Amino acid sequence: MMKLWFLSFLVLAGFITTSVDGSVSKTSMTKIRKINSKGPYLGIVVPNAFEMTPLLQSSSFVADENIPFFDFSGRRFRIGRLENEKVIIVMTGLSMLNAGLATELLLSLFKVKGVLHFGIAGNANPNLQIGDVVIPHYWAHTGLWNWQRFGDGPGDELSLESSGDYTRKIGYLKFSDYNNGTKHGSSSDNLLNNVWYQPEEIFPINGIPEVRQHAFWVPVNKHYYAVADKLKGMKLQSCINSTCLPRAPVVVRVERGSSANVFLDNAAYRNFLSSKFNITAVDMESAAVALVCLQQRTPFIVIRALSDLAGGGSSETNEAGIFAPLAAQNAVSVLLRFISLLFS
């Protein structure tokens, strides 16, 4: 009993230094403070190692001499410089959940003045090709649905719509429009009926706690988007060994991109997203990064290189297996050029 009391006294008196602040150890807090003392940083958010490796291998990246990385909660935050600007690089992993968690940790732990998210994406715009790098003005999560019961239609109120939980303002997908084998141009009912696209609930840091706001189209930072216009005409890689693209890739600002926890390899749904929402880039992470930055009131932009025509096209326009490394390298090249222009 006396031993237990003595140990309690040592802990309270601070003689035992293994106590923690929440789930963050004192050792980790000390490192975080040291890292932040050199901030603020640009946060570089990348989906996976396939896209991150060419960035780390570029001559532009210089790791910090004292703390080159910090591991926390399953993530590795790499500290260094790109184009001589202080950066913290984090890999998210696949999906909206991973992207949101990694971005939230980045912004909660460190002094970050802006977020640059880059990688490769599927393409829903037939006017663009593999290797092109797109910078959408708006991002949306198109995987949050209200699935309407069979028998109800566009004029019928959705379940829980009256309480403000759901809406019919954004639009819907009617499954019977895509029935296979319809006759004489007429469609038959489909038991899957309709799904209605829904905005996310967000809770901004400068808002009232537990009072939700809604967001569907999330705009990138105005200044960042203006700087991105200067990337036009940038020369990008167009060949892998002896295999070349039909034309030289371009950098272009586009209106919209979308994300969902779905790997999109379906031409019909690709065409629907393009015609319904004017979407170009489709991926599984960017909207999560956008929504977290919106909540945290942090400037952000997304740079995505097109790796395939989602759902397939001709043999020339859907060679993702060959040209994905080229797309990843083009995304890195545009990212580095953007950083240099951002502070020039």
Side-chain angles (χ1 to χ4, degrees), residues 159-175:
S159 177
L160 303 180
E161 182 179 352
S162 60
S163 61
D165 294 329
Y166 297 102
T167 180
R168 284 173 288 161
K169 293 181 180 179
I170 296 170
Y172 69 102
L173 169 64
K174 184 178 180 180
F175 282 95

Side-chain angles (χ1 to χ4, degrees), residues 134-194:
V134 298
I135 304 170
H137 193 182
Y138 296 91
W139 282 92
H141 176 203
T142 51
L144 184 58
W145 297 345
N146 183 308
W147 208 315
Q148 194 172 31
R149 69 175 60 189
F150 182 71
D152 286 353
D156 296 305
E157 188 174 272
L158 301 174
S159 177
L160 303 180
E161 182 179 352
S162 60
S163 61
D165 294 329
Y166 297 102
T167 180
R168 284 173 288 161
K169 293 181 180 179
I170 296 170
Y172 69 102
L173 169 64
K174 184 178 180 180
F175 282 95
S176 63
D177 287 345
Y178 297 90
N179 284 348
N180 191 20
T182 54
K183 296 179 180 179
H184 309 297
S186 61
S187 63
S188 58
D189 290 339
N190 188 309
L191 292 175
L192 293 176
N193 201 23
N194 307 317

Side-chain angles (χ1 to χ4, degrees), residues 108-121:
S108 297
L109 294 174
F110 305 107
K111 290 182 179 178
V112 174
K113 59 185 176 181
V115 170
L116 312 181
H117 177 50
F118 80 97
I120 64 175

Side-chain angles (χ1 to χ4, degrees), residues 41 43 50 163 165 168 212 259 285 298 301 329 341:
Y41 299 86
F50 173 80
S163 61
D165 294 329
R168 284 173 288 161
R212 67 184 178 184
S259 307
E285 297 86 20
T298 301
I301 199 166
Q329 182 58 59
L341 290 171

Side-chain angles (χ1 to χ4, degrees), residues 4-27:
L4 181 61
W5 177 88
F6 184 66
L7 286 173
S8 299
F9 169 77
L10 290 177
V11 172
L12 291 171
F15 294 107
I16 295 179
T17 59
T18 57
S19 62
V20 297
D21 298 313
S23 62
V24 185
S25 69
K26 282 191 173 181
T27 301

Side-chain angles (χ1 to χ4, degrees), residues 45-332:
V45 180
V46 56
N48 57 55
F50 173 80
E51 293 146 315
M52 182 173 64
T53 297
L55 178 66
L56 299 180
Q57 292 178 343
S58 73
S59 59
S60 176
F61 177 65
V62 179
D64 187 86
E65 292 182 356
N66 298 313
I67 308 178
F69 63 87
F70 174 71
D71 293 339
F72 184 82
S73 194
R75 313 287 175 178
R76 172 159 290 185
F77 297 89
R78 290 174 166 84
I79 296 90
R81 287 179 177 269
L82 285 171
E83 298 295 293
N84 206 34
E85 293 295 330
K86 297 175 184 178
V87 298
I88 298 178
I89 304 169
V90 62
M91 189 187 80
T92 68
L94 184 73
S95 84
M96 295 281 289
L97 176 63
N98 278 320
L101 286 172
T103 306
E104 184 66 46
L105 283 172
L106 172 71
L107 299 182
S108 297
L109 294 174
F110 305 107
K111 290 182 179 178
V112 174
K113 59 185 176 181
V115 170
L116 312 181
H117 177 50
F118 80 97
I120 64 175
N123 175 27
N125 184 342
N127 296 319
L128 297 175
Q129 71 166 23
I130 288 174
D132 289 345
V133 178
V134 298
I135 304 170
H137 193 182
Y138 296 91
W139 282 92
H141 176 203
T142 51
L144 184 58
W145 297 345
N146 183 308
W147 208 315
Q148 194 172 31
R149 69 175 60 189
F150 182 71
D152 286 353
D156 296 305
E157 188 174 272
L158 301 174
S159 177
L160 303 180
E161 182 179 352
S162 60
S163 61
D165 294 329
Y166 297 102
T167 180
R168 284 173 288 161
K169 293 181 180 179
I170 296 170
Y172 69 102
L173 169 64
K174 184 178 180 180
F175 282 95
S176 63
D177 287 345
Y178 297 90
N179 284 348
N180 191 20
T182 54
K183 296 179 180 179
H184 309 297
S186 61
S187 63
S188 58
D189 290 339
N190 188 309
L191 292 175
L192 293 176
N193 201 23
N194 307 317
V195 291
W196 292 82
Y197 292 86
Q198 302 299 316
E200 288 276 5
E201 291 184 353
I202 63 168
F203 300 86
I205 58 170
N206 59 349
I208 301 173
E210 298 183 352
V211 176
R212 67 184 178 184
Q213 298 179 24
H214 289 98
F216 188 72
W217 294 115
V218 181
V220 303
N221 177 263
K222 290 182 180 180
H223 174 60
Y224 288 6
Y225 196 63
V227 171
D229 194 43
K230 300 178 183 179
L231 296 166
K232 289 179 180 177
M234 183 177 173
K235 186 175 181 180
L236 297 173
Q237 186 176 341
S238 59
C239 297
I240 291 286
N241 298 323
S242 60
T243 305
C244 297
L245 294 167
R247 62 162 172 78
V250 297
V251 184
V252 57
R253 297 191 308 174
V254 297
E255 189 62 15
R256 292 170 173 174
S258 73
S259 307
N261 281 325
V262 176
F263 183 86
L264 177 52
D265 194 25
N266 182 276
Y269 191 59
R270 173 197 76 207
N271 291 333
F272 170 82
L273 290 177
S274 177
S275 61
K276 178 69 175 180
F277 296 121
N278 191 26
I279 284 169
T280 293
V282 290
D283 65 37
M284 300 174 70
E285 297 86 20
S286 296
V289 176
L291 286 159
V292 171
C293 288
L294 177 64
Q295 291 195 130
Q296 296 290 332
R297 297 302 191 237
T298 301
F300 81 96
I301 199 166
V302 177
I303 296 169
R304 287 279 185 164
L306 304 178
S307 62
D308 65 286
L309 182 63
S314 70
S315 59
E316 286 184 325
T317 57
N318 197 30
E319 296 288 351
I322 297 174
F323 290 108
L326 179 149
Q329 182 58 59
N330 282 352
V332 169

